[in-house]
Amino acid sequence: MSLTNKVAIITGAARGIGFAIAKRFLHDGARVVIADVDDEAGEAAVEELKGLGEVIYVSCNVAEKLDVRNLVAETLNAFGDIDILVNNAGIAVGSDFLTLEEADFDRVLQVNLKGAFLASQAVARHMVEKVQAGGTPGAIVNMSSVNAVLAIPSQIPYCVSKGGMSQLTKATSLALAPYGIRVNAIGPGSIMTDMLASVNSDKAARNRILSRTPLSRVGEPSEIASVAAFLASDDASYITGQTIFVDGGRLPLNYTVAVPDAD
């Protein structure tokens, strides 16, 4: 697989899965724009990755249309093109359903779903113009979740947003197919990001995760990045409108599995 000279925007890429995708894309030859709301972490990410290739940071709240327009403008100003968009930015707010605040529900959907819509629309407009001028079609990769299918009662807004992401992926893939622009999604299961770091020291929490994971381990951000690199590359040239679940076998499971005792 090669992304040589491709220009990629990755939202929410200052850390975690987004950072791993940025690192993989740079390794595969892409020029990368890291977009995030955490300016300190974003600048630190660029500092860490700049030895791998061309990478810049752009501050962007994907829920704000003007921020997204600026992100596209800054990318075109720096690299002159956009070939790949990865809609990775996302947040979660845990709450009991009966006490969930409307503002929290709105905030999660604005970032996770509306943000993906705004970024996809803005980038797709550039991609369509390029195709109409004789250029090469681009690719969009959305970050969904197993929670597009599986529900968690304490994560209502997150589950709703990821269910919406599934349909956004399908609908936009159809809308952009006449231009050759592909749109796919990745649905991670339990991945070792900051939110799951506590399972290393909490045996009960670790066992709960492993009991629903047939491969008997937590996934790594790099394993999500490898799928993103595939979907963004020409190796996936006939794949669009799909969500690839990278979950260690969680979705096919209709029971829990025995967890071997381990320190």
Side-chain angles (χ1 to χ4, degrees):
M1 294 185 295
S2 176
L3 302 177
T4 301
N5 293 325
K6 300 290 187 181
V7 177
I9 294 174
I10 307 168
T11 68
R15 55 171 61 85
I17 290 173
F19 178 84
I21 294 173
K23 184 175 182 179
R24 174 58 186 261
F25 280 18
L26 286 166
H27 181 270
D28 286 358
R31 294 172 287 172
V32 171
V33 177
I34 289 175
D36 209 289
V37 293
D38 188 334
D39 294 342
E40 183 177 354
E43 295 292 355
V46 168
E47 187 66 23
E48 183 174 347
L49 295 175
K50 65 182 183 181
L52 297 176
E54 295 182 73
V55 55
I56 64 170
Y57 170 71
V58 176
S59 182
C60 178
N61 178 355
V62 293
E64 297 293 336
K65 189 173 185 177
L66 290 179
D67 272 23
V68 172
R69 286 181 176 177
N70 179 66
L71 172 61
V72 171
E74 289 286 343
T75 302
L76 294 175
N77 184 59
F79 297 127
D81 201 357
I82 305 171
D83 301 289
I84 302 162
L85 168 66
V86 180
N87 285 309
N88 173 74
I91 60 173
V93 176
S95 173
D96 177 77
F97 173 63
L98 297 178
T99 57
L100 176 64
E101 296 289 340
E102 179 183 358
D104 287 333
F105 185 90
D106 288 345
R107 184 160 58 93
V108 173
L109 265 69
Q110 284 169 358
V111 174
N112 296 12
L113 190 54
K114 179 183 175 181
F117 158 71
L118 290 175
S120 294
Q121 185 182 63
V123 170
R125 285 170 174 164
H126 165 76
M127 290 180 173
V128 167
E129 288 179 0
K130 183 170 68 170
V131 170
Q132 291 174 332
T136 304
I140 297 173
V141 180
N142 295 323
M143 197 57 60
S144 185
S145 168
V146 291
N147 294 121
V149 179
L150 304 174
I152 301 175
S154 62
Q155 291 287 349
I156 300 291
Y158 184 82
C159 293
V160 171
S161 72
K162 295 306 181 180
M165 184 71 91
S166 176
Q167 285 297 86
L168 180 67
T169 298
K170 292 176 182 178
T172 53
S173 74
L174 298 179
L176 297 175
Y179 306 99
I181 298 166
R182 298 180 298 103
V183 185
N184 292 290
I186 303 171
S190 299
I191 306 299
M192 188 53 72
T193 59
D194 291 345
M195 288 189 291
L196 276 185
S198 62
V199 303
N200 285 326
S201 57
D202 187 335
K203 185 176 180 180
R206 176 177 176 274
N207 284 351
R208 280 195 300 273
I209 289 174
L210 296 186
S211 72
R212 66 194 188 202
T213 309
L215 286 185
S216 299
R217 65 179 178 84
V218 175
E220 296 294 332
S222 61
E223 294 177 297
I224 306 301
S226 65
V227 178
F230 166 67
L231 291 175
S233 76
D234 290 340
D235 287 347
S237 58
Y238 201 52
I239 302 175
T240 194
Q242 304 301 311
T243 297
I244 298 178
F245 291 99
V246 188
D247 63 358
R250 182 178 177 184
L251 278 182
L253 189 68
N254 69 345
Y255 56 88
T256 57
V257 296
V259 178
D261 290 331
D263 296 330

